Amino acid sequence: MTELSLVLMSVIWGVNFSVVKYGTQVMEPLAYNALRMALGCTVLLALAMWRPGKRPSPADLRRLLLLGVLGHCIYQVLFISGIARTRAGTASLVIAASPAMVALVARMFGHDKLPLRAVAGIGLSIAGVFLVLGGTMSDEGAGHVTGDLMIL
């Protein structure tokens, strides 16, 4: 069941960029995302209420709400606005490079120790993303750069 769930999650994430790109062409990007988030929150809240177990304290709920607004809300506004301005494939490539960027930033701030070989590999993967972004920019002009940067 675990492996099946992981495959399903991969399929959902793989299709997500194309579905979101289509949705932002049918509706205003922020309205589309509000509808998407409302549906997701409803489903997750129903699952959380159905599941037995200890509930978070009111203090924890306030912290979680603040964290959700700061992290998830800002991310979603940038994501949906960015994907409306760029290609779905380019957006998925930029998102896929996020762990590499986070690893480098964590190393720069001394939170993580990476061997030099790992840093070189991460640098090559990020350079590859920038090569693809540069090719997209020359093909379609600088208009997509704003979306790519918002996604990043």
Side-chain angles (χ1 to χ4, degrees), residues 102-152:
V102 169
L104 286 180
V105 170
R107 181 184 171 149
M108 286 187 328
F109 285 99
H111 296 292
D112 207 355
K113 302 285 185 223
L114 296 173
L116 188 57
R117 199 171 182 189
V119 173
I122 290 169
L124 283 174
S125 76
I126 292 171
V129 169
F130 281 111
L131 284 173
V132 170
L133 293 179
T136 307
M137 190 172 115
S138 64
D139 289 345
E140 300 179 15
H144 290 277
V145 173
T146 304
D148 295 336
L149 290 174
M150 292 173 98
I151 296 289
L152 182 63

Side-chain angles (χ1 to χ4, degrees), residues 19 22 26 33 37 40 53 57 62 69 74 82 86-88 94 115 117 119 121 130:
V19 170
Y22 175 77
V26 174
N33 210 38
M37 291 296 113
S57 69
R62 281 191 297 277
V69 167
I74 292 169
T86 192
R87 293 179 178 176
V94 171
R117 199 171 182 189
V119 173
F130 281 111

Side-chain angles (χ1 to χ4, degrees), residues 14-130:
V15 173
N16 182 50
F17 292 94
S18 298
V19 170
V20 170
K21 182 65 178 178
Y22 175 77
T24 59
Q25 291 173 341
V26 174
M27 303 175 67
E28 285 294 317
L30 291 177
Y32 173 75
N33 210 38
L35 180 64
R36 205 174 131 233
M37 291 296 113
L39 179 64
C41 287
T42 303
V43 169
L44 289 175
L45 184 60
L47 287 172
M49 297 307 280
W50 173 69
R51 186 175 172 210
K54 185 179 169 194
R55 303 277 183 242
S57 69
D60 285 341
L61 282 175
R62 281 191 297 277
R63 285 188 212 107
L64 287 170
L65 182 60
L66 178 64
L67 183 62
V69 167
L70 289 176
H72 196 67
C73 184
I74 292 169
Y75 167 77
Q76 283 299 320
V77 169
L78 289 172
F79 174 76
I80 203 74
S81 300
I83 206 164
R85 291 172 173 82
T86 192
R87 293 179 178 176
T90 306
S92 65
L93 182 64
V94 171
I95 291 290
S98 294
M101 298 285 279
V102 169
L104 286 180
V105 170
R107 181 184 171 149
M108 286 187 328
F109 285 99
H111 296 292
D112 207 355
K113 302 285 185 223
L114 296 173
L116 188 57
R117 199 171 182 189
V119 173
I122 290 169
L124 283 174
S125 76
I126 292 171
V129 169
F130 281 111

